[in-house]
Amino acid sequence: MKKKSFLLLISLVLVITLSACGGSKETGTTAEKTRSLRLAHTQSSNHPVHKSMERFAELTKEKTDGTVEIEIIPDGVLGDEREYVESLQKGVLDMAKVSVNSLENFDEVWSIFALPYVFDDMEHGQKFMDSPEMEELYQSAVDTMDILGLTWYDAGGRNYYTKDKPIEKPEDLEGLTMRVQSSKIQIKTAEYLGGSATPVDFGELYTAIQQGVVDGADNGIVAFTENNLGEVAKHFSFTQHVYSPDILLIKDSLFKDLTPEQQDAVKEAAKESTKFHSETWEEERQEAIKKCEDIGVTIHYPDLEPFAEKLKPLRDEYAENERIAKYMDLINEMK
Ligand code: GCU
């Protein structure tokens, strides 16, 4: 009897062990961890870039069979872009969409995007963003910041707008205080044009203009419209001084911790969301111009030559830096 129950016990142990082994074979050795990633950005959820990132989240979920989920946190709820980059580095945030200008504080090479009139026009900028040189820049951020750039979204050029004074020539900036991003170059740009500038978080910009803390700022027309800035700034001038795309970032060590299949899926989803964004961008831009006019904003199209001329010394100053000069040359060659 005793022997019988001993044998029964042994067979039970064997069955459990075997079925455990069989189970692990069935699910494969690399059981994918389910990830939920938080992605912060400063724009409103009406902005096309938010919609493009929703597309990115959907595609990622689809392509990873639901093992990677992305939660998008808009409206600057988690702070401003400089904080996002710091949070990515510290590992308290997983992903962020920032204006490419926000990286200037972390590695000087990114200054090429904040320097005025480096790109001739939007097409010139788009060509660079799709080039292997841009991939090289993304890679440099992995080495210097532990941050990987996955893709970019067009945000248009940056243009000056003011509460009540049209900017039609550089001298019109004299005596004005402009809000800028956290960027030394943007401050210098306003100063070279005869004005002054102060950094303000994007989320506080509406109130800063409304209360007269600043006289104006610069942005793309879509960001201007989707954040209702036309309610407080009545003149928008297409000065196009900076081509300023957005980029989608992920903490690199977190990305490397995904399985190779998940990594490919996230990369593919990001690139596809850029395509989605580009398809409707021009239409969104035209619609934004119309919306502005409808609420009484006057749009100006100044001659850009005098602006570019006044800002040449600023470009020359930064071109003394070898790394920046290298990219300026590459950008020039793409004209
Ligand atoms: C652009 C950009 C944002 C950025 C904003 C700003 O709209 O797309 O990412 O926050 O500029 O001026 O701060």
Side-chain angles (χ1 to χ4, degrees):
M1 226 12 220
K2 255 191 183 173
K3 199 173 170 191
K4 223 175 169 188
S5 33
F6 178 72
L7 280 176
L8 204 72
L9 186 69
I10 291 284
S11 8
L12 204 68
V13 169
L14 266 175
V15 167
I16 291 173
T17 314
L18 282 175
S19 61
C21 291
S24 100
K25 260 186 201 155
E26 268 167 31
T27 50
T29 45
T30 55
E32 287 183 319
K33 282 189 225 161
T34 300
R35 306 286 189 138
S36 177
L37 309 181
R38 291 194 319 155
L39 188 176
H41 73 96
T42 55
Q43 287 299 322
S44 89
S45 47
N46 298 325
H47 193 292
V49 80
H50 180 86
K51 293 175 195 145
S52 303
M53 287 188 293
E54 281 181 333
R55 182 99 189 107
F56 163 65
E58 274 163 32
L59 287 167
T60 301
K61 191 169 175 183
E62 219 174 276
K63 288 175 189 286
T64 61
D65 296 324
T67 63
V68 180
E69 292 213 23
I70 292 162
E71 183 199 351
I72 307 176
I73 307 158
D75 290 315
V77 167
L78 295 184
D80 209 45
E81 299 189 342
R82 190 177 180 144
E83 286 165 83
Y84 297 165
V85 178
E86 285 164 358
S87 299
L88 288 175
Q89 289 181 307
K90 286 183 202 144
V92 291
L93 180 65
D94 310 311
M95 298 190 73
K97 189 286 295 166
V98 300
S99 150
V100 74
N101 302 130
S102 291
L103 297 181
E104 171 197 326
N105 294 305
F106 298 87
D107 181 2
E108 67 203 3
V109 75
W110 294 90
S111 302
I112 47 156
F113 290 101
L115 284 170
Y117 300 108
V118 163
F119 295 96
D120 274 4
D121 50 27
M122 299 295 110
E123 285 89 64
H124 187 196
Q126 289 157 359
K127 205 164 161 192
F128 181 75
M129 293 312 287
D130 282 331
S131 71
E133 283 75 21
M134 190 59 213
E135 292 298 328
E136 188 185 297
L137 268 179
Y138 287 145
Q139 192 52 45
S140 77
V142 169
D143 305 332
T144 56
M145 308 179 212
D146 184 27
I147 288 176
L148 173 70
L150 288 170
T151 194
W152 67 283
Y153 301 108
D154 214 322
R158 292 188 84 87
N159 309 281
Y160 285 126
Y161 50 89
T162 57
K163 202 170 168 151
D164 44 29
K165 183 180 172 193
I167 305 288
E168 286 169 314
K169 48 188 184 319
E171 295 71 42
D172 292 333
L173 270 122
E174 275 168 26
L176 299 187
T177 304
M178 307 301 279
R179 172 270 173 177
V180 286
Q181 293 176 280
S182 175
S183 153
K184 246 194 286 168
I185 297 180
Q186 289 181 11
I187 295 179
K188 285 191 179 185
T189 301
E191 288 173 353
Y192 268 91
L193 294 173
S196 62
T198 183
V200 173
D201 284 1
F202 189 67
E204 288 160 22
L205 179 55
Y206 184 102
T207 322
I209 298 178
Q210 192 178 40
Q211 297 182 346
V213 175
V214 290
D215 300 299
D218 67 343
N219 261 120
I221 187 84
V222 178
F224 177 78
T225 313
E226 295 305 346
N227 293 282
N228 305 318
L229 291 160
E231 289 170 9
V232 289
K234 292 299 178 192
H235 290 276
F236 189 100
S237 302
F238 274 103
T239 48
Q240 306 274 41
H241 48 283
V242 172
Y243 175 65
S244 181
D246 287 343
I247 51 177
L248 182 63
L249 308 175
I250 185 165
K251 181 171 180 64
D252 188 59
S253 40
L254 168 73
F255 182 75
K256 297 235 166 76
D257 200 37
L258 301 177
T259 65
E261 293 75 18
Q262 285 172 328
Q263 290 181 19
D264 287 348
V266 168
K267 277 193 166 167
E268 266 174 38
K271 297 286 179 211
E272 284 176 33
S273 70
T274 297
K275 199 162 167 278
F276 171 81
H277 186 80
S278 303
E279 277 161 13
T280 53
W281 178 249
E282 189 45 34
E283 203 180 303
E284 300 276 2
R285 234 176 53 82
Q286 294 305 332
E287 236 170 72
I289 296 177
K290 202 176 159 300
K291 271 195 208 164
C292 270
E293 289 173 328
D294 288 349
I295 61 159
V297 174
T298 312
I299 310 270
H300 306 269
Y301 295 91
D303 176 9
L304 303 184
E305 206 47 52
F307 287 89
E309 201 43 47
K310 268 218 146 168
L311 292 163
K312 188 173 177 298
L314 179 58
R315 286 192 301 276
D316 292 347
E317 181 186 324
Y318 276 84
E320 279 170 25
N321 176 310
E322 259 177 46
R323 289 175 74 211
I324 296 176
K326 171 188 146 188
Y327 280 99
M328 280 174 120
D329 288 347
L330 288 168
I331 291 169
N332 263 327
E333 284 161 19
M334 281 184 201
K335 279 185 184 174

